[in-house]
């Protein structure tokens, strides 16, 4: 469940320290490792492809500019997601918040429309996406972080500024609400 | 096991954090409880959602940004070398120690003083400071990305660069010059058109107005000519009428463009009659 990438040599922490010490090229390795996962993070939160790409670019730029805030021993993934969340807040402060979410969500679901998948599975996926989009943002975020980004509860807690117990409660509540919305959309009564 | 207990354990179950015994107990509960089972199932279904991949342009933009950054670092280093350490302001240079060890000691001293002062500041003040710093960084980033993209080989990348310029609130002269260069000299009509549109937002800058007038004079593409005519008429620059007349005097001008010139002059209150004088 650990969200940090497999500990190849050198690991993310070592690379980031090298970037901090002036070897900006090492950021390209970190980009290779994390840009997809960050893109998916944003796409799942916003449903907006263009915004997601802009935000990924922004995160890596901020890593360069704020490299001095990275300290030895810090968990790289937590640091990266902290930057990612700040970038998102700034981005949507400028644009009207969340407008694109529901309209853009279908586009985010395109991957499910792959011909290889059965019709029922595709419909289910589309409904689940809709349910996820209807979830209040902070609940959606905690689900995305825990389910898709594979962050440990400790990492999420550090990111959201709460303890592990509180993260578990949030995950549980978000999941429960998601299931309720999903049941409504799919016409099945939540039991 | 009761539902309440199951719900407490569910997040750990989902995160693979239960020992085998707890796990099988919980799964036993799922077998008899549809509600808890559904919650676990929602988690599983969620995991099956796929996502699109980013476009290849994302990497190209990252590479352009990194290159621009490294270039910027190199330039700064060169500037510092040629100016003989002008990073230290003149009034400081007098007593700033020349020996690296002493410089280091001074720096550590400042750091300690800074940290102490930081502690004394209110959290609010610090947050505001950080925020404004953040804004400044993002501002610089946008400029840098726009600039580096406008220098790319591929027209689509240059187009992206032009579009990036929309995100710059207060462009420095370098960005404005790059946009003007693009509108005048870019080989791609699409890119020139986009640059003309992008410059509209910066039309309050005198250099931009001047540049747009010059660009109209050089333009051969009817599309770009029309875009520039519209822009100059809309911003009501005092040189617009002159530039339009000059263009109208070109006998090889396309009919649609000539029409636009006439409409433009009319809008500027310099219609056919006054023009004919």
């Amino acid at each position: 469940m650990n969200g940090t990438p497999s500990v190849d040599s050198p690991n993310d922490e070592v690379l980031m320290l090298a970037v901090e010490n002036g070897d900006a090229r090492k950021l390209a390795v970190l980009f290779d490792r994390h840009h997809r996962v960050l893109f998916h993070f944003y796409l799942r939160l916003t449903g907006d492809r263009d915004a997601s790409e802009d935000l990924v670019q922004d995160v890596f730029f901020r890593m360069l500019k704020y490299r001095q805030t990275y300290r030895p021993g810090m968990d790289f993934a937590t640091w990266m997601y902290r930057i990612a969340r700040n970038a998102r807040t700034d981005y949507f402060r400028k644009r009207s918040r969340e407008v694109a979410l529901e309209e853009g969500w279908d586009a985010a679901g395109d991957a499910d429309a792959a011909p290889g998948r059965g019709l029922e599975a595709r419909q289910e996926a589309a409904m689940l996406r809709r349910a996820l989009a209807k979830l209040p943002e902070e609940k959606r975020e905690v689900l995305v972080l825990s389910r898709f980004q594979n962050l440990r509860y400790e990492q999420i807690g550090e990111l959201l500024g709460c303890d592990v117990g509180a993260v578990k409660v949030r995950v549980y509540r978000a999941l429960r609400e998601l299931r309720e919305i999903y049941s409504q959309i799919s016409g099945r009564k939540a039991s | 096991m009761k539902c309440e207990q199951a719900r407490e354990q569910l997040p750990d179950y989902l995160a693979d954090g239960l020992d085998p015994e707890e796990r099988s107990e919980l799964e036993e509960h799922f077998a008899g409880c549809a509600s808890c089972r559904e919650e676990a199932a929602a988690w599983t279904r969620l995991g099956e959602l796929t996502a699109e991949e980013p476009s290849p342009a994302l990497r190209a933009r990252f590479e352009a940004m990194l290159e621009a950054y490294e270039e910027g670092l190199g330039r700064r280093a060169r500037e510092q070398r040629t100016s003989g350490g002008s990073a230290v302001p003149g009034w400081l240079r007098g007593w700033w120690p020349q020996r690296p060890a002493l410089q280091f000691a001074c720096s550590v001293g400042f750091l300690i003083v800074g940290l102490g002062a930081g502690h004394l500041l209110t959290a609010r003040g610090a947050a505001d400071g950080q925020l404004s710093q953040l804004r400044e960084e993002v501002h610089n980033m946008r400029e840098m990305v726009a600039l580096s993209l406008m220098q790319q080989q591929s027209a689509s990348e240059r187009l992206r660069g032009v579009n990036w310029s929309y995100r710059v609130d207060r462009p420095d002269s370098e960005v404005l010059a790059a946009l003007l260069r693009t509108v005048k000299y870019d080989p791609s009509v699409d890119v020139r058109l986009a640059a003309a549109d992008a410059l509209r937002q910066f039309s309050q800058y005198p250099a931009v107005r001047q540049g747009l007038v010059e660009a109209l004079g050089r333009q051969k593409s009817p599309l770009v000519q029309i875009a520039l005519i519209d822009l100059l008429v809309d911003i009501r620059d005092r040189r617009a009428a002159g530039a339009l007349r000059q263009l109208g005097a070109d006998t090889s001008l396309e009919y649609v463009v000539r029409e636009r010139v006439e409409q433009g002059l009319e809008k500027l209150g310099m219609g056919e009659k006054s023009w004919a004088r």
Side-chain angles (χ1 to χ4, degrees):
Chain A
M1 273 287 136
N2 190 336
T4 47
S6 58
V7 192
D8 301 342
S9 191
N11 66 21
D12 292 345
E13 282 73 17
V14 170
L15 288 169
M16 192 56 224
L17 285 172
V19 172
E20 192 174 341
N21 291 323
D23 186 359
R25 263 290 127 193
K26 289 283 189 292
L27 193 72
V29 185
L30 291 168
F31 179 86
D32 284 342
R33 287 184 189 171
H34 299 285
H35 77 278
R36 283 183 66 247
V37 92
L38 275 175
F39 176 74
H40 290 154
F41 170 64
Y42 285 129
L43 190 60
R44 283 179 165 125
L45 283 183
T46 66
D48 182 336
R49 269 196 76 94
D50 289 343
S52 300
E53 291 201 356
D54 288 352
L55 282 162
V56 172
Q57 170 90 349
D58 198 355
V59 168
F60 283 96
F61 189 81
R62 287 177 188 222
M63 281 184 192
L64 274 182
K65 297 299 273 190
Y66 295 107
R67 59 192 188 281
Q68 308 294 354
T69 67
Y70 183 78
R71 300 263 171 276
M74 260 186 189
D75 178 47
F76 176 77
T78 311
W79 185 72
M80 178 177 83
Y81 278 104
R82 187 168 296 135
I83 292 177
R85 295 182 79 231
N86 284 339
R88 189 189 80 212
T89 309
D90 287 355
Y91 188 88
F92 285 106
R93 191 181 293 133
K94 264 200 142 179
R95 291 173 49 163
S96 58
R97 254 179 109 70
E98 297 294 300
V99 278
L101 182 61
E102 284 204 56
E103 301 152 32
W105 201 253
D106 288 341
D110 273 357
D112 294 310
R117 301 192 67 178
L119 179 67
E120 203 183 332
R122 287 193 316 232
Q123 279 174 340
E124 239 178 53
M127 281 190 291
L128 192 56
R129 268 175 215 290
R130 279 221 300 284
L132 197 57
K134 278 180 191 280
L135 215 55
E137 190 183 319
E138 73 279 2
K139 287 189 173 144
R140 187 163 64 242
E141 185 181 32
V142 87
L143 276 187
V144 169
L145 287 172
S146 58
R147 186 61 179 126
F148 298 111
Q149 307 310 117
N150 287 333
L151 289 186
R152 284 176 281 113
Y153 293 149
E154 293 81 31
Q155 290 172 305
I156 299 176
E158 210 182 316
L159 212 51
L160 305 182
C162 60
D163 62 27
V164 173
V167 174
K168 289 182 189 172
V169 171
R170 286 193 199 189
V171 168
Y172 178 72
R173 286 193 180 142
L175 191 60
R176 191 179 169 79
E177 195 169 329
L178 177 76
R179 181 180 67 93
E180 278 165 11
I181 299 172
Y182 179 80
S183 302
Q184 281 164 13
I185 293 177
S186 66
R188 270 181 265 165
K189 202 181 168 315
S191 38
Chain B
M1 182 187 279
K2 289 183 184 157
C3 283
E4 207 173 309
Q5 254 179 301
R7 280 168 193 168
E8 260 173 38
Q9 289 191 344
L10 189 64
D12 283 321
Y13 172 79
L14 303 173
D16 256 346
L18 290 184
D19 59 43
E21 200 180 319
E22 290 170 317
R23 203 179 168 79
S24 66
E25 256 181 67
L26 191 61
E27 280 167 354
E28 224 169 87
H29 173 79
F30 289 160
C33 174
S35 172
C36 290
R37 189 173 59 235
E38 272 295 303
E39 261 137 45
W43 179 266
T44 310
R45 274 198 296 268
L46 208 52
E48 286 163 2
L49 285 186
T50 49
E52 283 180 38
E53 295 305 309
S55 72
L58 183 58
R59 178 176 298 275
R61 284 164 68 190
F62 170 77
E63 283 296 334
M65 185 266 285
L66 196 56
E67 266 165 36
Y69 183 83
E70 286 177 316
E71 212 172 273
L73 279 185
R75 197 163 51 206
R76 204 179 305 162
R78 278 194 300 278
E79 276 167 14
Q80 279 179 11
R81 268 201 305 277
T82 50
S83 62
S86 71
V88 186
W91 60 271
L92 257 178
R93 219 174 298 156
W95 66 269
W96 184 251
Q98 295 303 309
R99 282 173 51 201
L102 284 179
Q103 287 178 351
F104 179 72
C106 271
S107 306
V108 171
F110 286 141
L111 181 67
I112 292 167
V113 172
L115 285 175
H119 271 296
L120 294 176
L121 281 174
T122 62
R124 168 91 196 155
D128 280 354
Q130 234 173 10
L131 207 65
S132 63
Q133 194 193 354
L134 210 63
R135 285 205 191 97
E136 193 47 39
E137 300 293 1
V138 173
H139 173 74
N140 292 342
M141 175 199 79
R142 290 184 176 133
E143 288 197 336
M144 213 154 87
V145 172
L147 281 172
S148 75
L149 284 174
M150 275 190 265
Q151 290 159 7
Q152 296 296 305
Q153 283 289 317
S154 107
S156 65
E157 286 304 307
R158 295 198 304 277
L159 202 57
R160 268 183 172 277
V162 170
N163 290 333
W164 262 92
S165 70
Y166 281 96
R167 299 174 203 175
V168 180
D169 305 322
R170 299 160 277 116
D172 67 8
S173 51
E174 217 179 329
V175 170
L176 293 180
L179 278 171
L180 285 169
R181 238 189 343 266
T182 303
V183 82
K184 282 183 200 164
Y185 305 113
D186 197 285
S188 153
V189 172
D190 287 339
V191 179
R192 292 206 300 279
L193 265 181
D197 287 341
L199 281 162
R200 184 177 282 269
Q201 62 181 326
F202 303 129
S203 60
Q204 74 273 27
Y205 294 90
V208 170
R209 301 169 88 98
Q210 172 68 36
L212 287 170
V213 169
E214 289 165 15
L216 182 63
R218 311 186 43 91
Q219 222 33 249
K220 291 289 169 248
S221 149
L223 278 175
V224 186
Q225 284 172 329
I226 289 175
L228 286 171
I229 292 168
D230 289 352
L231 179 52
L232 284 170
V233 170
D234 287 350
I235 62 177
R236 304 210 151 251
D237 188 79
R238 60 186 167 78
R239 284 157 295 196
L244 260 59
R245 279 191 202 118
Q246 208 174 353
L247 185 68
D250 180 355
T251 49
S252 64
L253 202 63
E254 293 244 359
Y255 172 72
V256 279
V257 182
R258 183 175 305 282
E259 220 176 30
R260 202 59 149 238
V261 167
E262 283 163 15
Q263 286 168 2
L265 285 168
E266 243 163 68
K267 274 194 199 159
L268 290 169
M270 310 251 176
E272 214 174 318
K273 282 177 198 139
S274 48
W275 183 23
R277 262 192 290 130

